Amino acid sequence: MSAGQALALVRRAFIVAAVVLALAVNVVGLATIVIDHQRAFDWDNYVEAARRFPLGTLYDWQYPYGYHYAPQLAPVLGVLTAAGITIWRLAHFVALALLPSRKLALLLLSPTRSGSTSTPATS
Amino acid sequence: MMFVFLAAAWALRGNAIAVAAYLVLCALIPRPIMLPLLAWILWQRPAWRWPFVGIVALVVASAVPTGYLGDWVASFTASGVKDIANDFNLSPSRFVGPWWLLVGIPLGVWLTLRGRIGWASMAISPYLLPYWVQMLGLELVRPRDERAAAPYRSAATTIGPERG
């Protein structure tokens, strides 16, 4: 094995190990949130944003609510939330299947299973 | 975030629809973690610069009638300050606060120039929520145009098979 090949091997091992480790941390974190909250924080935010949009309080954050997206998106999220959380979760698996690499999709399967679980605002 | 990552992965691969979708997402749901790939696209694919300006103009113009434009812009800084203190913040900023940006921004720029978009996304963000780590997956996506990738970035860093 040449020095170049060895270097490439080390680089590959480092990158793959780092990514897998990072994703493992992500999975543990997400599992903690899901067990604690049962559903995606993003979902609750979307429901609340759609409700607040006509009230003029879209950006009045109050833990755990926090909306950061463009304001014109809030009514669209209202339509989305009307479709139901099951559709939202299924859409994540469809997105997973559409990724350009199947191994990448497999790597992201666990985070996706939580259904776009997000993190609450500052507690 | 999954949908952002889907658009990002295909955009990095050079898919025009995904690039357009990613630019729209950058304008509608801007997050610091999205900046390195945005910069990389605008740097490596100049044809998308003016369309992105148009997208931003359109998003801003359509936000005006809602009456929330000022609040939205103000939320950018408020969000950063708040989320640095988030219990789930995985960034070094959790320990050193906004000072992390003194290291993170130059590091993110350097990593972007080297074609390490996934790591650059981690570095440049003032805070790192757990599910944002998905963006590290971009390290496993090879740009379609190899000339656009950093010279040293080899196929050894890419997992496949890749479709499209």
Side-chain angles (χ1 to χ4, degrees):
Chain A
M1 180 183 290
S2 69
Q5 285 174 320
L7 193 63
L9 193 63
V10 169
R11 182 178 295 142
R12 181 182 182 185
F14 173 77
I15 290 172
V16 172
V19 170
V20 170
L21 182 64
L23 290 175
V25 169
N26 196 20
V27 170
V28 171
L30 289 171
T32 305
I33 296 166
V34 169
I35 291 168
D36 180 50
H37 193 69
Q38 301 299 318
R39 63 184 177 277
F41 283 98
D42 271 355
W43 181 259
D44 288 346
N45 269 334
Y46 297 164
V47 172
E48 183 65 8
R51 188 188 71 81
R52 285 175 175 237
F53 180 75
L55 304 177
T57 57
L58 188 60
Y59 293 98
D60 293 347
W61 297 338
Q62 190 174 20
Y63 179 80
Y65 171 75
Y67 181 79
H68 311 86
Y69 302 167
Q72 63 269 46
L73 208 57
V76 179
L77 294 175
V79 175
L80 175 73
T81 52
I85 195 168
T86 303
I87 298 292
W88 176 243
R89 284 174 170 157
L90 284 174
H92 283 78
F93 286 97
V94 173
L96 201 64
L98 293 174
L99 283 173
S101 159
R102 294 194 193 284
K103 287 183 180 175
L104 184 58
L106 191 63
L107 210 57
L108 294 177
L109 180 60
S110 294
T112 305
R113 283 181 61 192
S114 61
S116 184
T117 302
S118 180
T119 308
T122 311
S123 54
Chain B
M1 194 65 198
M2 189 65 219
F3 305 109
V4 171
F5 181 73
L6 176 66
W10 279 108
L12 193 56
R13 293 265 293 149
N15 182 286
I17 295 172
V19 172
Y22 188 77
L23 297 183
V24 169
L25 288 170
C26 284
L28 282 174
I29 54 173
R31 293 169 168 137
I33 201 168
M34 298 164 77
L35 281 175
L37 181 58
L38 173 65
W40 186 88
I41 289 170
L42 299 179
W43 168 40
Q44 293 289 341
R45 307 185 192 285
W48 285 100
R49 291 174 188 169
W50 281 112
F52 180 63
V53 171
I55 289 168
V56 170
L58 198 62
V59 167
V60 170
S62 59
V64 170
T66 67
Y68 282 116
L69 181 60
D71 290 342
W72 183 36
V73 173
S75 76
F76 294 159
T77 51
S79 172
V81 170
K82 192 169 60 120
D83 280 317
I84 282 176
N86 193 309
D87 290 341
F88 294 93
N89 178 16
L90 300 178
S91 164
S93 66
R94 178 168 181 169
F95 306 104
V96 298
W99 294 103
W100 164 248
L101 294 177
L102 290 176
V103 176
I105 291 176
L107 182 62
V109 170
W110 182 76
L111 287 164
T112 301
L113 293 173
R114 302 280 287 176
R116 294 288 175 201
I117 306 299
W119 286 113
S121 301
M122 300 297 107
I124 211 163
S125 185
Y127 55 95
L128 201 56
L129 304 180
Y131 67 114
W132 286 12
V133 180
Q134 286 182 36
M135 288 294 272
L136 260 182
L138 291 180
E139 287 294 320
L140 306 177
V141 178
R142 186 195 312 173
R144 177 174 294 279
D145 181 4
E146 288 301 321
R147 289 170 300 178
Y152 81 96
R153 188 172 185 178
S154 70
T157 63
T158 305
I159 60 174
E162 294 184 357
R163 290 174 276 161

